[in-house]
Amino acid sequence: MMTPTAKHWLGALSAIYLLMTATTLQAQECDEDDDPSPVVTLATSEGDITLCLFHRKAPITVENFLKYVESGHYEGSIFHRVINGFMIQAGGFDQRYEPLPSDSPIANEAKKSKLHNVRGTIAMARTDDPDSATDQFFINHRNNLRLDWAPGKAGYAVFGKVKDKLSMSTVDYIATAPTKNRGGAFTDSPTKPVVINKVTWVNKP
């Protein structure tokens, strides 16, 4: 029988291995090569957030996101849900908290990609239906591995990551914004709107 101490160390080593694997996977995704990752900059009211997108690991999700980028869908939208130490969510509402029109939902690629919801990654928001994601996304403010796919759990599909430290400092700043309950689904909304003013596909072919 394994002792409590042995179990503790085994659990710790497993967690370290999982984190190292996740970090390595996502670092490699943004390397420049013959098929460079799409790079997108969100110019927000609180600073810029530059993202590189994992188009090889999550092609459906990246294509969907870039479609909204190209159409100008996100420009003028807000970060409507901000939870410090968890994530910041955006993409679905205007500054009056009215829903933006969205296209058909996409398939959840969390199981296929096996990418991890670690700090600085961007993933699709959805309802309880695993295949319900449309335009809303969130950026993980910490490691949220409980949001990953696992047997019996659909997970949330990661499709990119914050590209640099300056961009992550903007995420950190937004995450600490004062929030209030506006009623309904808006329980953690910034008291001062955090607006996505412009979205640019930086390295568009």
Side-chain angles (χ1 to χ4, degrees), residues 25-27 29-30 37-38 52-59 62 115 121-122 158-161:
L25 245 179
Q26 290 158 353
E29 280 293 330
C30 289
S37 300
C52 60
L53 307 181
F54 304 157
H55 66 305
R56 289 180 290 273
K57 286 285 186 178
V62 169
L115 292 168
T121 53
I122 180 172
V158 169
F159 65 98
K161 74 171 188 177

Side-chain angles (χ1 to χ4, degrees), residues 47-147:
D48 290 355
I49 303 172
T50 298
L51 306 160
C52 60
L53 307 181
F54 304 157
H55 66 305
R56 289 180 290 273
K57 286 285 186 178
I60 295 172
T61 313
V62 169
E63 181 181 3
N64 177 72
F65 182 75
L66 289 174
K67 176 188 65 178
Y68 285 114
V69 168
E70 288 282 84
S71 71
H73 175 89
Y74 292 127
E75 295 182 2
S77 66
I78 57 170
F79 282 89
H80 65 277
R81 186 177 179 223
V82 168
I83 303 176
N84 190 14
F86 180 35
M87 57 93 230
I88 60 175
Q89 184 172 336
F93 298 91
D94 64 21
Q95 296 176 53
R96 297 170 297 174
Y97 284 81
E98 293 293 330
L100 297 170
S102 60
D103 294 330
S104 299
I106 59 172
N108 187 338
E109 293 185 286
K111 179 179 180 180
K112 177 184 174 184
S113 71
K114 301 294 195 298
L115 292 168
H116 300 283
N117 282 273
V118 296
R119 172 174 162 82
T121 53
I122 180 172
M124 294 304 296
R126 59 172 177 78
T127 67
D128 290 338
D129 178 355
D131 299 318
S132 61
T134 54
D135 54 351
Q136 291 190 45
F137 60 87
F138 62 91
I139 300 174
N140 286 292
H141 190 222
R142 69 172 183 188
N143 294 341
N144 290 312
L145 299 183
R146 64 186 178 83
L147 302 181

